[in-house]
PDB file of all heavy atoms in Angstrom:
ATOM      1  N   VAL A 409     -16.206  -0.220  64.813  1.00  0.00           N
ATOM      2  CA  VAL A 409     -16.197  -1.116  65.965  1.00  0.00           C
ATOM      3  C   VAL A 409     -17.237  -0.712  67.018  1.00  0.00           C
ATOM      4  O   VAL A 409     -17.348  -1.367  68.050  1.00  0.00           O
ATOM      5  CB  VAL A 409     -14.796  -1.185  66.621  1.00  0.00           C
ATOM      6  CG1 VAL A 409     -13.742  -1.510  65.579  1.00  0.00           C
ATOM      7  CG2 VAL A 409     -14.455   0.092  67.355  1.00  0.00           C
ATOM      8  N   SER A 410     -17.999   0.338  66.752  1.00  0.00           N
ATOM      9  CA  SER A 410     -19.044   0.755  67.685  1.00  0.00           C
ATOM     10  C   SER A 410     -20.402   0.238  67.207  1.00  0.00           C
ATOM     11  O   SER A 410     -20.543  -0.237  66.076  1.00  0.00           O
ATOM     12  CB  SER A 410     -19.088   2.279  67.794  1.00  0.00           C
ATOM     13  OG  SER A 410     -19.784   2.848  66.689  1.00  0.00           O
ATOM     14  N   GLY A 411     -21.408   0.379  68.059  1.00  0.00           N
ATOM     15  CA  GLY A 411     -22.761  -0.003  67.678  1.00  0.00           C
ATOM     16  C   GLY A 411     -23.538   1.113  67.026  1.00  0.00           C
ATOM     17  O   GLY A 411     -24.707   0.927  66.659  1.00  0.00           O
ATOM     18  N   ASN A 412     -22.912   2.270  66.842  1.00  0.00           N
ATOM     19  CA  ASN A 412     -23.576   3.443  66.259  1.00  0.00           C
ATOM     20  C   ASN A 412     -23.071   3.715  64.855  1.00  0.00           C
ATOM     21  O   ASN A 412     -21.941   3.359  64.508  1.00  0.00           O
ATOM     22  CB  ASN A 412     -23.319   4.676  67.138  1.00  0.00           C
ATOM     23  CG  ASN A 412     -23.783   4.481  68.556  1.00  0.00           C
ATOM     24  OD1 ASN A 412     -24.899   4.018  68.798  1.00  0.00           O
ATOM     25  ND2 ASN A 412     -22.928   4.819  69.518  1.00  0.00           N
ATOM     26  N   SER A 413     -23.891   4.360  64.048  1.00  0.00           N
ATOM     27  CA  SER A 413     -23.483   4.723  62.699  1.00  0.00           C
ATOM     28  C   SER A 413     -22.350   5.739  62.746  1.00  0.00           C
ATOM     29  O   SER A 413     -22.338   6.657  63.564  1.00  0.00           O
ATOM     30  CB  SER A 413     -24.669   5.311  61.938  1.00  0.00           C
ATOM     31  OG  SER A 413     -24.293   5.647  60.617  1.00  0.00           O
ATOM     32  N   ALA A 414     -21.358   5.556  61.864  1.00  0.00           N
ATOM     33  CA  ALA A 414     -20.181   6.425  61.827  1.00  0.00           C
ATOM     34  C   ALA A 414     -20.229   7.335  60.607  1.00  0.00           C
ATOM     35  O   ALA A 414     -20.518   6.894  59.488  1.00  0.00           O
ATOM     36  CB  ALA A 414     -18.914   5.588  61.795  1.00  0.00           C
ATOM     37  N   THR A 415     -19.947   8.604  60.828  1.00  0.00           N
ATOM     38  CA  THR A 415     -19.751   9.576  59.751  1.00  0.00           C
ATOM     39  C   THR A 415     -18.255   9.703  59.530  1.00  0.00           C
ATOM     40  O   THR A 415     -17.508  10.081  60.448  1.00  0.00           O
ATOM     41  CB  THR A 415     -20.360  10.936  60.112  1.00  0.00           C
ATOM     42  OG1 THR A 415     -21.765  10.779  60.341  1.00  0.00           O
ATOM     43  CG2 THR A 415     -20.145  11.936  58.992  1.00  0.00           C
ATOM     44  N   VAL A 416     -17.801   9.382  58.324  1.00  0.00           N
ATOM     45  CA  VAL A 416     -16.374   9.174  58.074  1.00  0.00           C
ATOM     46  C   VAL A 416     -15.906  10.052  56.920  1.00  0.00           C
ATOM     47  O   VAL A 416     -16.588  10.179  55.899  1.00  0.00           O
ATOM     48  CB  VAL A 416     -16.095   7.694  57.730  1.00  0.00           C
ATOM     49  CG1 VAL A 416     -14.606   7.459  57.506  1.00  0.00           C
ATOM     50  CG2 VAL A 416     -16.623   6.784  58.834  1.00  0.00           C
ATOM     51  N   GLN A 417     -14.732  10.651  57.096  1.00  0.00           N
ATOM     52  CA  GLN A 417     -14.066  11.355  55.994  1.00  0.00           C
ATOM     53  C   GLN A 417     -12.713  10.697  55.732  1.00  0.00           C
ATOM     54  O   GLN A 417     -11.926  10.459  56.651  1.00  0.00           O
ATOM     55  CB  GLN A 417     -13.847  12.836  56.312  1.00  0.00           C
ATOM     56  CG  GLN A 417     -13.239  13.616  55.143  1.00  0.00           C
ATOM     57  CD  GLN A 417     -13.073  15.091  55.420  1.00  0.00           C
ATOM     58  OE1 GLN A 417     -12.193  15.492  56.162  1.00  0.00           O
ATOM     59  NE2 GLN A 417     -13.937  15.899  54.825  1.00  0.00           N
ATOM     60  N   VAL A 418     -12.448  10.395  54.463  1.00  0.00           N
ATOM     61  CA  VAL A 418     -11.201   9.753  54.039  1.00  0.00           C
ATOM     62  C   VAL A 418     -10.449  10.736  53.153  1.00  0.00           C
ATOM     63  O   VAL A 418     -10.954  11.128  52.086  1.00  0.00           O
ATOM     64  CB  VAL A 418     -11.482   8.440  53.278  1.00  0.00           C
ATOM     65  CG1 VAL A 418     -10.175   7.763  52.870  1.00  0.00           C
ATOM     66  CG2 VAL A 418     -12.327   7.498  54.131  1.00  0.00           C
ATOM     67  N   ARG A 419      -9.260  11.141  53.599  1.00  0.00           N
ATOM     68  CA  ARG A 419      -8.463  12.103  52.838  1.00  0.00           C
ATOM     69  C   ARG A 419      -7.160  11.459  52.374  1.00  0.00           C
ATOM     70  O   ARG A 419      -6.473  10.799  53.148  1.00  0.00           O
ATOM     71  CB  ARG A 419      -8.142  13.330  53.690  1.00  0.00           C
ATOM     72  CG  ARG A 419      -9.357  14.138  54.102  1.00  0.00           C
ATOM     73  CD  ARG A 419      -8.942  15.491  54.674  1.00  0.00           C
ATOM     74  NE  ARG A 419      -8.140  15.341  55.894  1.00  0.00           N
ATOM     75  CZ  ARG A 419      -7.441  16.337  56.447  1.00  0.00           C
ATOM     76  NH1 ARG A 419      -7.404  17.528  55.852  1.00  0.00           N
ATOM     77  NH2 ARG A 419      -6.769  16.138  57.564  1.00  0.00           N
ATOM     78  N   PHE A 420      -6.831  11.668  51.114  1.00  0.00           N
ATOM     79  CA  PHE A 420      -5.616  11.154  50.520  1.00  0.00           C
ATOM     80  C   PHE A 420      -4.566  12.270  50.555  1.00  0.00           C
ATOM     81  O   PHE A 420      -4.802  13.376  50.056  1.00  0.00           O
ATOM     82  CB  PHE A 420      -5.882  10.664  49.104  1.00  0.00           C
ATOM     83  CG  PHE A 420      -6.778   9.448  49.079  1.00  0.00           C
ATOM     84  CD1 PHE A 420      -8.151   9.580  49.202  1.00  0.00           C
ATOM     85  CD2 PHE A 420      -6.236   8.178  48.996  1.00  0.00           C
ATOM     86  CE1 PHE A 420      -8.979   8.466  49.217  1.00  0.00           C
ATOM     87  CE2 PHE A 420      -7.046   7.058  49.005  1.00  0.00           C
ATOM     88  CZ  PHE A 420      -8.421   7.201  49.128  1.00  0.00           C
ATOM     89  N   ILE A 421      -3.402  11.947  51.146  1.00  0.00           N
ATOM     90  CA  ILE A 421      -2.395  12.957  51.456  1.00  0.00           C
ATOM     91  C   ILE A 421      -1.129  12.695  50.650  1.00  0.00           C
ATOM     92  O   ILE A 421      -0.556  11.594  50.713  1.00  0.00           O
ATOM     93  CB  ILE A 421      -2.041  12.939  52.957  1.00  0.00           C
ATOM     94  CG1 ILE A 421      -3.305  12.841  53.831  1.00  0.00           C
ATOM     95  CG2 ILE A 421      -1.201  14.152  53.321  1.00  0.00           C
ATOM     96  CD1 ILE A 421      -4.200  14.029  53.790  1.00  0.00           C
ATOM     97  N   ASN A 422      -0.692  13.693  49.880  1.00  0.00           N
ATOM     98  CA  ASN A 422       0.572  13.575  49.169  1.00  0.00           C
ATOM     99  C   ASN A 422       1.725  13.438  50.163  1.00  0.00           C
ATOM    100  O   ASN A 422       1.592  13.764  51.343  1.00  0.00           O
ATOM    101  CB  ASN A 422       0.802  14.793  48.279  1.00  0.00           C
ATOM    102  CG  ASN A 422      -0.205  14.885  47.142  1.00  0.00           C
ATOM    103  OD1 ASN A 422      -0.484  13.884  46.475  1.00  0.00           O
ATOM    104  ND2 ASN A 422      -0.751  16.070  46.908  1.00  0.00           N
ATOM    105  N   ARG A 423       2.866  12.970  49.683  1.00  0.00           N
ATOM    106  CA  ARG A 423       4.015  12.787  50.567  1.00  0.00           C
ATOM    107  C   ARG A 423       4.411  14.082  51.277  1.00  0.00           C
ATOM    108  O   ARG A 423       4.931  14.047  52.394  1.00  0.00           O
ATOM    109  CB  ARG A 423       5.218  12.259  49.776  1.00  0.00           C
ATOM    110  CG  ARG A 423       5.056  10.840  49.232  1.00  0.00           C
ATOM    111  CD  ARG A 423       5.055   9.818  50.324  1.00  0.00           C
ATOM    112  NE  ARG A 423       5.064   8.446  49.807  1.00  0.00           N
ATOM    113  CZ  ARG A 423       4.564   7.416  50.436  1.00  0.00           C
ATOM    114  NH1 ARG A 423       3.996   7.589  51.629  1.00  0.00           N
ATOM    115  NH2 ARG A 423       4.602   6.207  49.918  1.00  0.00           N
ATOM    116  N   ASP A 424       4.170  15.245  50.636  1.00  0.00           N
ATOM    117  CA  ASP A 424       4.556  16.517  51.254  1.00  0.00           C
ATOM    118  C   ASP A 424       3.518  17.047  52.238  1.00  0.00           C
ATOM    119  O   ASP A 424       3.670  18.147  52.772  1.00  0.00           O
ATOM    120  CB  ASP A 424       4.837  17.566  50.181  1.00  0.00           C
ATOM    121  CG  ASP A 424       3.607  17.909  49.340  1.00  0.00           C
ATOM    122  OD1 ASP A 424       2.496  17.387  49.614  1.00  0.00           O
ATOM    123  OD2 ASP A 424       3.738  18.699  48.383  1.00  0.00           O
ATOM    124  N   GLY A 425       2.447  16.294  52.485  1.00  0.00           N
ATOM    125  CA  GLY A 425       1.442  16.691  53.452  1.00  0.00           C
ATOM    126  C   GLY A 425       0.255  17.433  52.884  1.00  0.00           C
ATOM    127  O   GLY A 425      -0.701  17.718  53.620  1.00  0.00           O
ATOM    128  N   THR A 426       0.274  17.747  51.599  1.00  0.00           N
ATOM    129  CA  THR A 426      -0.869  18.418  50.989  1.00  0.00           C
ATOM    130  C   THR A 426      -1.962  17.408  50.682  1.00  0.00           C
ATOM    131  O   THR A 426      -1.697  16.233  50.405  1.00  0.00           O
ATOM    132  CB  THR A 426      -0.464  19.145  49.696  1.00  0.00           C
ATOM    133  OG1 THR A 426       0.118  18.205  48.787  1.00  0.00           O
ATOM    134  CG2 THR A 426       0.538  20.250  50.010  1.00  0.00           C
ATOM    135  N   VAL A 427      -3.204  17.873  50.732  1.00  0.00           N
ATOM    136  CA  VAL A 427      -4.363  17.003  50.555  1.00  0.00           C
ATOM    137  C   VAL A 427      -4.791  16.986  49.090  1.00  0.00           C
ATOM    138  O   VAL A 427      -4.861  18.037  48.433  1.00  0.00           O
ATOM    139  CB  VAL A 427      -5.537  17.471  51.431  1.00  0.00           C
ATOM    140  CG1 VAL A 427      -6.751  16.568  51.246  1.00  0.00           C
ATOM    141  CG2 VAL A 427      -5.120  17.504  52.905  1.00  0.00           C
ATOM    142  N   VAL A 428      -5.081  15.799  48.557  1.00  0.00           N
ATOM    143  CA  VAL A 428      -5.664  15.682  47.220  1.00  0.00           C
ATOM    144  C   VAL A 428      -7.174  15.893  47.385  1.00  0.00           C
ATOM    145  O   VAL A 428      -7.941  14.939  47.564  1.00  0.00           O
ATOM    146  CB  VAL A 428      -5.364  14.311  46.593  1.00  0.00           C
ATOM    147  CG1 VAL A 428      -5.857  14.262  45.149  1.00  0.00           C
ATOM    148  CG2 VAL A 428      -3.881  13.986  46.657  1.00  0.00           C
ATOM    149  N   ASN A 429      -7.589  17.137  47.364  1.00  0.00           N
ATOM    150  CA  ASN A 429      -8.971  17.470  47.732  1.00  0.00           C
ATOM    151  C   ASN A 429     -10.006  16.780  46.852  1.00  0.00           C
ATOM    152  O   ASN A 429     -11.073  16.372  47.332  1.00  0.00           O
ATOM    153  CB  ASN A 429      -9.173  18.994  47.683  1.00  0.00           C
ATOM    154  CG  ASN A 429      -8.448  19.700  48.809  1.00  0.00           C
ATOM    155  OD1 ASN A 429      -8.560  19.313  49.969  1.00  0.00           O
ATOM    156  ND2 ASN A 429      -7.688  20.731  48.476  1.00  0.00           N
ATOM    157  N   ALA A 430      -9.704  16.624  45.565  1.00  0.00           N
ATOM    158  CA  ALA A 430     -10.675  16.022  44.649  1.00  0.00           C
ATOM    159  C   ALA A 430     -10.951  14.556  44.977  1.00  0.00           C
ATOM    160  O   ALA A 430     -11.965  13.997  44.561  1.00  0.00           O
ATOM    161  CB  ALA A 430     -10.193  16.148  43.208  1.00  0.00           C
ATOM    162  N   ALA A 431     -10.043  13.918  45.732  1.00  0.00           N
ATOM    163  CA  ALA A 431     -10.198  12.493  46.042  1.00  0.00           C
ATOM    164  C   ALA A 431     -10.877  12.246  47.386  1.00  0.00           C
ATOM    165  O   ALA A 431     -11.176  11.095  47.727  1.00  0.00           O
ATOM    166  CB  ALA A 431      -8.838  11.813  46.031  1.00  0.00           C
ATOM    167  N   THR A 432     -11.134  13.293  48.170  1.00  0.00           N
ATOM    168  CA  THR A 432     -11.717  13.113  49.503  1.00  0.00           C
ATOM    169  C   THR A 432     -13.077  12.425  49.426  1.00  0.00           C
ATOM    170  O   THR A 432     -13.923  12.769  48.589  1.00  0.00           O
ATOM    171  CB  THR A 432     -11.859  14.473  50.209  1.00  0.00           C
ATOM    172  OG1 THR A 432     -10.541  15.028  50.392  1.00  0.00           O
ATOM    173  CG2 THR A 432     -12.528  14.325  51.563  1.00  0.00           C
ATOM    174  N   GLN A 433     -13.281  11.456  50.304  1.00  0.00           N
ATOM    175  CA  GLN A 433     -14.526  10.691  50.336  1.00  0.00           C
ATOM    176  C   GLN A 433     -15.218  10.912  51.681  1.00  0.00           C
ATOM    177  O   GLN A 433     -14.586  10.839  52.739  1.00  0.00           O
ATOM    178  CB  GLN A 433     -14.245   9.204  50.162  1.00  0.00           C
ATOM    179  CG  GLN A 433     -13.517   8.855  48.877  1.00  0.00           C
ATOM    180  CD  GLN A 433     -14.356   9.107  47.645  1.00  0.00           C
ATOM    181  OE1 GLN A 433     -15.480   8.598  47.528  1.00  0.00           O
ATOM    182  NE2 GLN A 433     -13.827   9.897  46.720  1.00  0.00           N
ATOM    183  N   ASN A 434     -16.530  11.162  51.631  1.00  0.00           N
ATOM    184  CA  ASN A 434     -17.358  11.296  52.823  1.00  0.00           C
ATOM    185  C   ASN A 434     -18.415  10.200  52.795  1.00  0.00           C
ATOM    186  O   ASN A 434     -19.239  10.142  51.878  1.00  0.00           O
ATOM    187  CB  ASN A 434     -18.011  12.682  52.871  1.00  0.00           C
ATOM    188  CG  ASN A 434     -16.990  13.791  53.039  1.00  0.00           C
ATOM    189  OD1 ASN A 434     -16.427  13.958  54.102  1.00  0.00           O
ATOM    190  ND2 ASN A 434     -16.739  14.535  51.961  1.00  0.00           N
ATOM    191  N   ILE A 435     -18.349   9.305  53.777  1.00  0.00           N
ATOM    192  CA  ILE A 435     -19.206   8.124  53.767  1.00  0.00           C
ATOM    193  C   ILE A 435     -19.807   7.900  55.150  1.00  0.00           C
ATOM    194  O   ILE A 435     -19.406   8.529  56.133  1.00  0.00           O
ATOM    195  CB  ILE A 435     -18.421   6.861  53.356  1.00  0.00           C
ATOM    196  CG1 ILE A 435     -17.273   6.604  54.349  1.00  0.00           C
ATOM    197  CG2 ILE A 435     -17.904   6.966  51.933  1.00  0.00           C
ATOM    198  CD1 ILE A 435     -16.574   5.282  54.161  1.00  0.00           C
ATOM    199  N   SER A 436     -20.775   6.987  55.218  1.00  0.00           N
ATOM    200  CA  SER A 436     -21.338   6.523  56.480  1.00  0.00           C
ATOM    201  C   SER A 436     -21.141   5.012  56.572  1.00  0.00           C
ATOM    202  O   SER A 436     -21.256   4.305  55.568  1.00  0.00           O
ATOM    203  CB  SER A 436     -22.830   6.856  56.576  1.00  0.00           C
ATOM    204  OG  SER A 436     -23.039   8.251  56.603  1.00  0.00           O
ATOM    205  N   ILE A 437     -20.833   4.538  57.775  1.00  0.00           N
ATOM    206  CA  ILE A 437     -20.687   3.099  58.016  1.00  0.00           C
ATOM    207  C   ILE A 437     -21.563   2.742  59.210  1.00  0.00           C
ATOM    208  O   ILE A 437     -21.414   3.304  60.302  1.00  0.00           O
ATOM    209  CB  ILE A 437     -19.229   2.708  58.318  1.00  0.00           C
ATOM    210  CG1 ILE A 437     -18.289   3.216  57.220  1.00  0.00           C
ATOM    211  CG2 ILE A 437     -19.110   1.194  58.448  1.00  0.00           C
ATOM    212  CD1 ILE A 437     -16.814   2.955  57.502  1.00  0.00           C
TER     213      ILE A 437
END
Side-chain angles (χ1 to χ4, degrees):
V409 308
S410 80
N412 303 313
S413 181
T415 300
V416 181
Q417 184 177 74
V418 181
R419 296 193 297 167
F420 293 80
I421 315 293
N422 294 315
R423 293 291 187 208
D424 63 3
T426 58
V427 180
V428 186
N429 289 311
T432 297
Q433 302 293 305
N434 294 288
I435 60 171
S436 295
I437 307 176

